C-alpha cells in the first residue's frame, strides 16, 4: 500500500473519529442507548479500512448477565471483538493513561483494574457485578496477558468472582460465563504460520509501534471469532474458569 493511500485511510479514520468520539462522550454523559453501538460502528470502520475480515461463529450473549471469557493475542483483539457485539472490557489500569489507546478504552466504557492494590480485585468485581446486572456484556481476557498466539495460557479465576457477586443480587437468578476464542488464521490470503505470528501477536516486551505500522500498511488479515456455549455459573470460580478455558482451547484447535 502506498504512503498516500495509507494517509487517506488515516484521514478517513480521523474524520470518523471527529464525529463519533464527541457523540460517544455525549451518549456516556446523558445515558443514551447509542452508547453501546457507536464503538461497534467505529471498530467496523477501522477494520474495513485496513482489510481485517472477521468471521464470526456461534451465538453471542443474550439478555442474561454474561461475563465473556476470552483468550488474548494482540491489541487487535479489541477492535475485532468490539466490531461484532456491543460490549466492554476489563483492562489494566496502566492503559487508562496511554495516549489515544487510553481514550478509546474509556470510550468503550472499560473497567480498569490496578493489579498493585490488594483490594482492587474485590472493588472491580463489585463494579462488574453492577454492570452485569444491568445486562451489559463484559469481556475478561482470562490469561491475564497477551500470548504469542501459538499456545493458550492458563486462565485466571480471580475476576470470575464478579459472576459470584452478581448472583448475590435478588433480581438475578442465573449468571453465565461465555467462552470466546480469537484465532488469526490468514495473512495476505495465506494460512498463518509460526513465522507470521510476530506480525500479529503482541506480547512480552514487544514494542507497540511496529505492530501499528504494519497494521496501517493494510496487510489483509482473517480472524475467526468463535462464541462458545454459555456456561451456567454455579458459584465455583476455578471449576467454571477451567470449563471456559477448555472450551476456548477446543475452539482454537478447530479454527
Amino acid at each position: 500500500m502506498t504512503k498516500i493511500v495509507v494517509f487517506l485511510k488515516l484521514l478517513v479514520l480521523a474524520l470518523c473519529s471527529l464525529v463519533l468520539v464527541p457523540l460517544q462522550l455525549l451518549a456516556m454523559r446523558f445515558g443514551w442507548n447509542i452508547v453501546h453501538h457507536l464503538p461497534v460502528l467505529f471498530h467496523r470502520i477501522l477494520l474495513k479500512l485496513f482489510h481485517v475480515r472477521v468471521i464470526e461463529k456461534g451465538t453471542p450473549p443474550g439478555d442474561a448477565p454474561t461475563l465473556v471469557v476470552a483468550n488474548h493475542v494482540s491489541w487487535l483483539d479489541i477492535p475485532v471483538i468490539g466490531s461484532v457485539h456491543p460490549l466492554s472490557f476489563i483492562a489494566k489500569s496502566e492503559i487508562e493513561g496511554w495516549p489515544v489507546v487510553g481514550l478509546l478504552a474509556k470510550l468503550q466504557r472499560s473497567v480498569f483494574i490496578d493489579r498493585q492494590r490488594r483490594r482492587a480485585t474485590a472493588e472491580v468485581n463489585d463494579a462488574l457485578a453492577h454492570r452485569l446486572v444491568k445486562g451489559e456484556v463484559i469481556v475478561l481476557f482470562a490469561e491475564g496477558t497477551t500470548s504469542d498466539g501459538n499456545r493458550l495460557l492458563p486462565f485466571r479465576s480471580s475476576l470470575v468472582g464478579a459472576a459470584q457477586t452478581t448472583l448475590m443480587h435478588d433480581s438475578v437468578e442465573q449468571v453465565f460465563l461465555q467462552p470466546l476464542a480469537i484465532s488469526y488464521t490468514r495473512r495476505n490470503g495465506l494460512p498463518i504460520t509460526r513465522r507470521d505470528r510476530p506480525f500479529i501477536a503482541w506480547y512480552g516486551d514487544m514494542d507497540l509501534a511496529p505492530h501499528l505500522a504494519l497494521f496501517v500498511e493494510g496487510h489483509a488479515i482473517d480472524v475467526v471469532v468463535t462464541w462458545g456455549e454459555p456456561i451456567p455459573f454455579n458459584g465455583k470460580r476455578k471449576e467454571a474458569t477451567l470449563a471456559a478455558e477448555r472450551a476456548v482451547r477446543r475452539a482454537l484447535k478447530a479454527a
Side-chain angles (χ1 to χ4, degrees):
M1 187 183 299
T2 64
K3 290 184 178 180
I4 190 168
V5 173
V6 171
F7 172 78
L8 290 174
K9 287 177 179 288
L10 290 174
L11 179 60
V12 170
L13 185 63
L15 292 174
C16 290
S17 299
L18 285 175
V19 175
L20 295 178
V21 169
L23 191 56
Q24 178 70 353
L25 289 171
L26 288 172
M28 293 169 64
R29 173 67 177 82
F30 296 105
W32 298 340
N33 190 50
I34 59 172
V35 73
H36 303 291
H37 303 285
L38 289 177
V40 177
L41 176 59
F42 175 82
H43 292 313
R44 288 180 178 177
I45 293 171
L46 172 67
L47 298 182
K48 185 70 174 179
L49 282 172
F50 296 101
H51 307 295
V52 179
R53 184 174 67 141
V54 180
I55 302 159
E56 187 179 14
K57 297 182 179 180
T59 304
D63 296 329
T66 302
L67 180 64
V68 175
V69 186
N71 64 307
H72 198 11
V73 179
S74 171
W75 64 270
L76 189 54
D77 298 345
I78 306 297
V80 164
I81 303 174
S83 72
V84 297
H85 193 74
L87 43 79
S88 299
F89 297 91
I90 300 172
K92 58 185 180 181
S93 58
E94 302 94 288
I95 292 177
E96 191 173 7
W98 290 4
V100 183
V101 176
L103 173 62
L104 293 177
K106 293 174 186 175
L107 293 174
Q108 191 81 39
R109 303 172 66 247
S110 299
V111 179
F112 298 98
I113 178 171
D114 183 354
R115 297 176 182 175
Q116 305 302 318
R117 295 177 55 235
R118 292 184 178 181
R119 290 181 52 83
T121 298
E123 293 172 358
V124 169
N125 282 341
D126 287 339
L128 291 175
H130 179 71
R131 300 269 294 269
L132 291 173
V133 167
K134 294 195 300 182
E136 298 185 32
V137 176
I138 309 291
V139 176
L140 166 64
F141 291 118
E143 293 168 286
T145 185
T146 51
S147 70
D148 60 6
N150 292 317
R151 59 196 176 101
L152 185 68
L153 302 177
F155 280 9
R156 301 179 179 181
S157 63
S158 56
L159 289 177
V160 174
Q164 198 159 14
T165 306
T166 306
L167 278 176
M168 296 171 63
H169 287 255
D170 294 335
S171 61
V172 176
E173 295 182 0
Q174 183 66 72
V175 179
F176 294 94
L177 298 187
Q178 184 156 3
L180 177 61
I182 309 160
S183 179
Y184 295 87
T185 57
R186 289 181 175 272
R187 183 170 181 262
N188 290 330
L190 299 175
I192 288 176
T193 65
R194 284 181 177 270
R195 184 180 301 175
D196 297 307
R197 290 293 179 189
F199 295 102
I200 296 173
W202 179 52
Y203 59 96
D205 58 356
M206 296 173 69
D207 291 332
L208 179 58
H211 282 266
L212 293 176
L214 285 171
F215 177 73
V216 299
E217 287 178 6
H219 296 280
I221 296 172
D222 285 359
V223 52
V224 178
V225 172
T226 306
W227 299 99
E229 289 297 320
I231 301 169
F233 183 69
N234 59 6
K236 299 178 180 179
R237 288 189 297 115
K238 291 185 178 180
E239 181 180 301
T241 304
L242 182 58
E245 179 187 328
R246 288 171 174 168
V248 170
R249 197 178 297 278
R250 289 193 298 269
L252 291 176
K253 186 176 181 180

